[in-house]
Amino acid sequence: MYEMEAILSQEEIELNLLKSDKRKEEAIYQLEKKRSFSWRFTIFSDEDASLVSHLIHYMLGLYGLNFLSNVVMVLAREMIGNAVKANLKRAFFLSLKKDINHEKDYKYGMEIFKQEGLGQLDLYRNAMEELGLKVEIVIELLPEGSSIKVINNTKVLKQEMIHIHESLQKGKELDSLENIMIDMIQSSKEGGGIGIVMSSMILKQSGIPCKHFSISSKNDTTSSCVFLPSTVRRHEDSESVYRSLIREVEELPSFPEPVEKLLNLITDPEVQMTKIVYEIEKDPFLTSSVLKLINSASFITAERVETIGKAVPIMGIQNIKQMVMLNSSCQILKKKYRVFENFWKHASQCAFYAYFAAKLVNQKKLAETAYICALLHDMGKIILHTFESKDWARLNINLLSKSSPVHFEESFLGISHAELGAQMAEKWCFPENIVSSIRYHHRPMYAEEENRLLASIVHFADSCMEQEEGQKHVYFDIGMKNILGIYNSSNIYQLHRQVKESYKMLDRTENSIAAA
């Protein structure tokens, strides 16, 4: 979950987190004040990767383009990797006592470099430092977007630059990973330039013109740069899929008539409680859900509650309303779509994390609502994962990322799962605070002021889940920390541990009840 947690002591972990926080805070401060931030290194460390990831999330969040974060991070890593490799290549040639500018030496040296040099970064670190071979990352906020520039202090050879320009052109022309692989196999040149070609194609598919990605060399420096506009236009191949997705949301079934009747009763200030109880008892699944929740660790009762008549007064009308809406929307999704078990496992655990987090940061009144929001926060992914259309084939997106295709789908469609989920919640008339928390669970500071606290709790819970599921460099919104009173990553680490332990205790308690 947290890097090196199994090796370092808790004190060492917290110290490292504080150092990382300070670096990120300084970077954001410089971006906000000077609109630019840069740093240099010899080898791209995990700490550098964490900082790049943080700044990419921050920049894209300014324009509501968080769904592009994975694509931009892939591109940034490619740019940085090429810069470090170029410097390593120079150090390697010097160790061979070969002239990289000499045609025969270059051909001979490259054969050995491919076999021995590429995996020897640490071995040549000292040599690279002695030669002053550095890579600089420059991130800028510009009037109409932002830019990432990667500079290394070695000049690209003439034959390398020709190859780079050819690869950039292929990226403009080719439209699928399959075509790229075929072209690479047919190419007799070094490496086929697949990284540059893929970077160009990914940008194009994401609605960012290829002209915004450039590589140039002048004097003794080489620079690769990508400009990220504040608005993006969907690629023409993805437009029909996008329209189909929006239509899919619009055509979602409404709640069944008995559910609508129950919701109308609940919102009637003069209704008798016995009528609400009677309507709930007519639905076996809803009855089971209410009794399961009231007897969980979420509610403290003197004895086990066996009837809806006793459960409703304890839970309260607002919680009952949310439970009815949650139950009905989940039923529709499970019936209409193929929803994977892992999805609901993630959603359920995230919901309890949000519930416990709300209580731990002294927001007990929001605990039940936070639970609902977190359970539904990713429901937009259900449509993205299960939506079937022949148009998907033209996007060739599943080939790009087997581990997390949904992020690439979002990038190519120009809409995030968070926005899709919010539109689904609006379709079913969920309260605005729940809709907002779903829409902004990746960037809570952009939620309406009255909904930021709830959105921040869901954001925290989701980010904790991402860490536990193995995602590196998880983004915690800076504003969220202040709203929840967790001012640094050390506090996040402690709160995460408390929430996780509370969930484990809940799991053990419910297992004991089930066994009894």
Side-chain angles (χ1 to χ4, degrees), residues 220-231:
D220 292 327
T221 62
T222 300
S223 173
S224 58
C225 180
V226 59
F227 171 70
L228 305 170
S230 56
T231 58

Side-chain angles (χ1 to χ4, degrees), residues 292-301 304 352 356 500-516:
K292 183 178 180 181
L293 181 61
I294 195 66
N295 288 300
S296 73
S298 303
F299 289 89
I300 301 175
T301 56
R304 185 171 178 81
F352 278 109
F356 290 125
K500 188 176 181 180
E501 185 56 38
S502 296
Y503 179 74
K504 286 181 178 178
M505 290 177 63
L506 168 68
D507 198 35
R508 289 194 292 268
T509 300
E510 293 195 339
N511 285 337
S512 298
I513 292 173

